[in-house]
Amino acid sequence: MTHIDLKDVLARTVSSLYGDLVTRRTGEAVRSGIEAMLSDDDETAVIDFGTVRLMDMSCADEIVGKLLLAHGLGHYFALTGVHAAHEDALLPVLERHQLAVVAEDRTGRLKVLGYLPEPARRAFGFLADAGPAPPDAVAAHLALTPDVARDALQTLCDRRVVRESGGHYQAVRCA
Amino acid sequence: MTRVVEVPTQFDDRTFDQFARSYAADGGGRMLFDAHAAQWASPYGLVGLLTAGQAIAETGGERPLLTLPQDRDVVHYWARAGFVRHAEQYFELHGKAPRAAARGESDVLLEITPVRGADDVHDVVGHIQDRAAAILTQELGLEATATMGFGMALSEACQNIVEHAGTGGWVAVQTYTWRRRLGRRVVVIAVADAGVGFRRSLEATQAKRFGDRWSDAAALEAALIQGVSRFRDPGRGQGLAGIRRYLNRWTGKLAVRSGTARMTMVPPWDEDAPLVDQLPPFPGTQVLMIVPAHVENG
């Protein structure tokens, strides 16, 4: 697991004088800094928003939107330290690009942000709360048909917010 | 020969078109912006006046004259808001300009500040965030989450200058109490530039789609309602939508004037028209954002 502190990346790539993630130019620079930290394997990169005060939508698009578009199929990403105002900037970006990403808020609650069909969103909620589970357990708990549950889990895997291992599905986590 | 451009005595978004009409009127010669009788000007009026001077300078026009307000308190406020300092670049000033503006506690949250590049946007947002947080939560009674959205809206509005105007612009933020107009305290953000405006910015990608309907009003509709941008990048065009969402959540007002049209997101407390076109032409784009104090069931 690679931990990426956005404030550190901002200081390294743009300026230590800035505390906010604003402007496209800053977003591009920060994304490049993150890309340089990504490992080649399937490990999860945890991007820490905890030290970031403000992020605008242009930066959200450059940092999270374009990062997921470029690397979302080769890496798992999770966001931590996300507060409501960060979500306000992130959600339209994710919806616009039809992307989804795991986010942990400041209370430690895990959720998925972005574009997902409702059964997949409910399935993620179940896995986040209950831990790893097979498809039939997801179907039974959420009162879904087996086919719908399998489709929902496949969607979550395609979006790289859930991993499958030995027939069990597990939400991507920040720790 | 000198052509007089009247600066309204109460110079704000409601009298701006009167100012623009005088600015756009036919007639050659050196321009004299006459503000001697001005009694009050909002941030929107002041950045608009600077924009007029900037546009004349950037089109190679003769340096215009500006008579400052005669009223001592008014001209001191113009100085405190940062107007006089910047106006010296574009106007030959006449009248008594205060040498040094008094600083300290003030309703001016952000004095008139040039926006030319991304660094300016960082500085503006960084400078204002703490004071804006205090005012939004303590004076306007908004939830703490309003603070971050305020910074986001301010940042996106300033970035429109950097990304689209093709020249620099201005931003100013002020809080005051609208006793007659609303009976509440408000925070007002005014952003203006002397750039190409929405129609020219979007012309290459949108004009064909609109055909005969293509105009300043159509360009505003494309940008504000449909979220289109001159960039092909699908991630673009979200900034104004984000501003609209923020102001809608806090019952605020957004008005964007560009060229000969103005589009407004009208809150329940206001009676502005959603779209006005065939206005007197004015250079660039002027953005007005108003966040009012929270009232129960308001």
Side-chain angles (χ1 to χ4, degrees):
Chain A
M1 189 169 287
T2 306
H3 185 267
I4 300 168
D5 186 319
L6 279 179
K7 186 76 179 285
D8 288 347
V9 180
L10 178 66
R12 201 171 59 247
T13 57
V14 185
S15 169
S16 59
L17 299 175
Y18 296 148
D20 301 308
L21 290 173
V22 293
T23 80
R24 282 201 176 267
R25 199 184 72 176
T26 295
E28 285 173 18
V30 169
R31 187 182 71 247
S32 298
I34 293 171
E35 286 170 336
M37 296 173 75
L38 295 177
S39 54
D40 291 333
D41 54 30
D42 260 359
E43 276 196 2
T44 303
V46 177
I47 302 175
D48 189 350
F49 283 72
T51 53
V52 172
R53 187 171 61 164
L54 168 69
M55 178 173 63
D56 69 16
M57 291 175 59
S58 299
C59 242
D61 186 55
E62 289 293 336
I63 296 173
V64 177
K66 289 187 177 167
L67 190 71
L68 292 179
L69 286 171
H71 302 281
L73 295 178
H75 295 81
Y76 290 94
F77 290 97
L79 316 181
T80 188
V82 174
H83 62 55
H86 295 143
E87 286 188 26
D88 285 345
L90 287 165
L91 288 173
V93 168
L94 295 168
E95 292 280 343
R96 181 119 166 181
H97 293 298
Q98 302 197 346
L99 295 166
V101 67
V102 171
E104 186 182 69
D105 67 20
R106 294 186 174 195
T107 66
R109 187 168 153 263
L110 203 64
K111 58 182 169 181
V112 66
L113 301 179
Y115 180 82
L116 273 184
E118 193 52 30
R121 189 173 296 280
R122 291 177 61 208
F124 183 89
F126 172 68
L127 296 175
D129 292 341
D136 55 351
V138 175
H141 185 82
L142 299 178
L144 300 173
T145 65
D147 285 348
V148 170
R150 267 193 296 275
D151 282 350
L153 292 167
Q154 188 57 50
T155 297
L156 294 170
C157 289
D158 292 345
R159 298 287 164 85
R160 310 281 280 187
V161 294
V162 158
R163 295 171 189 258
E164 189 269 336
S165 177
H168 280 63
Y169 291 80
Q170 180 175 5
V172 169
R173 291 185 180 273
C174 298
Chain B
M1 185 174 168
T2 302
R3 181 161 73 81
V4 176
V5 178
E6 296 285 349
V7 175
T9 52
Q10 304 287 325
F11 188 25
D12 61 8
D13 53 300
R14 291 179 301 180
T15 56
F16 190 84
D17 295 333
Q18 177 188 332
F19 168 72
R21 187 170 297 109
S22 184
Y23 174 83
D26 288 337
R30 192 177 189 189
M31 291 170 105
L32 163 64
F33 290 81
D34 183 7
H36 85 277
Q39 294 172 350
W40 187 79
S42 71
Y44 188 84
L46 292 179
V47 297
L49 185 51
L50 273 179
T51 298
Q54 180 189 355
I56 293 166
E58 290 180 354
T59 53
E62 189 175 1
R63 183 180 172 85
L65 305 152
L66 170 62
T67 56
L68 291 168
Q70 281 183 333
D71 187 294
R72 187 175 175 276
D73 291 342
V74 174
V75 79
H76 268 84
Y77 164 69
W78 285 33
R80 199 168 67 243
F83 175 82
V84 174
R85 184 161 49 90
H86 296 299
E88 286 169 344
Q89 293 176 60
Y90 302 117
F91 300 96
E92 181 182 306
L93 299 181
H94 290 262
K96 287 185 180 172
R99 275 288 157 220
R103 290 186 181 271
E105 282 304 304
S106 162
D107 288 346
V108 178
L109 259 177
L110 177 75
E111 67 176 44
I112 296 170
T113 302
V115 178
R116 299 190 183 97
D119 289 345
D120 296 325
V121 181
H122 269 283
D123 290 342
V124 163
V125 172
H127 174 82
I128 202 172
Q129 197 68 3
D130 289 339
R131 270 198 79 196
I135 285 167
L136 290 170
T137 55
Q138 292 164 24
E139 294 189 24
L140 269 62
L142 304 183
E143 295 169 24
T145 52
T147 304
M148 297 299 170
F150 182 85
M152 186 187 80
L154 180 64
S155 168
E156 296 291 354
C158 291
Q159 280 184 80
N160 275 341
I161 298 175
V162 177
E163 299 275 346
H164 303 294
T167 185
W170 309 93
V171 57
V173 187
Q174 187 172 349
T175 176
Y176 42 85
T177 303
W178 275 357
R179 287 190 179 83
R180 287 186 195 163
R181 194 167 170 182
L182 184 61
R184 275 190 258 171
R185 200 147 180 83
V186 294
V187 172
V188 175
I189 302 175
V191 181
D193 66 71
V196 299
F198 278 69
R199 184 171 53 80
R200 276 185 57 199
S201 176
L202 295 174
E203 203 146 58
T205 57
Q206 300 299 318
K208 203 170 177 181
R209 185 164 72 89
F210 281 83
D212 292 343
R213 278 191 60 225
W214 184 242
S215 63
D216 290 315
L220 283 174
E221 179 190 324
L224 267 79
I225 307 297
Q226 298 164 15
V228 302
S229 164
R230 71 188 171 98
F231 296 103
R232 296 196 186 279
D233 178 347
R236 297 283 190 146
Q238 299 183 61
L240 283 167
I243 294 172
R244 283 181 59 194
R245 269 194 302 276
Y246 173 73
L247 290 169
N248 191 46
R249 183 184 300 177
W250 304 107
T251 334
K253 176 176 179 175
L254 169 66
V256 184
R257 191 192 197 283
S258 185
T260 58
R262 183 177 63 248
M263 183 167 272
T264 304
M265 196 185 78
V266 187
W269 49 263
D270 195 68
E271 293 178 344
D272 213 340
L275 179 64
V276 185
D277 62 4
Q278 297 182 338
L279 293 169
F282 196 78
T285 299
Q286 294 77 46
V287 178
L288 174 71
M289 293 181 266
I290 301 170
V291 185
H294 173 73
V295 290
E296 293 300 327
N297 303 317

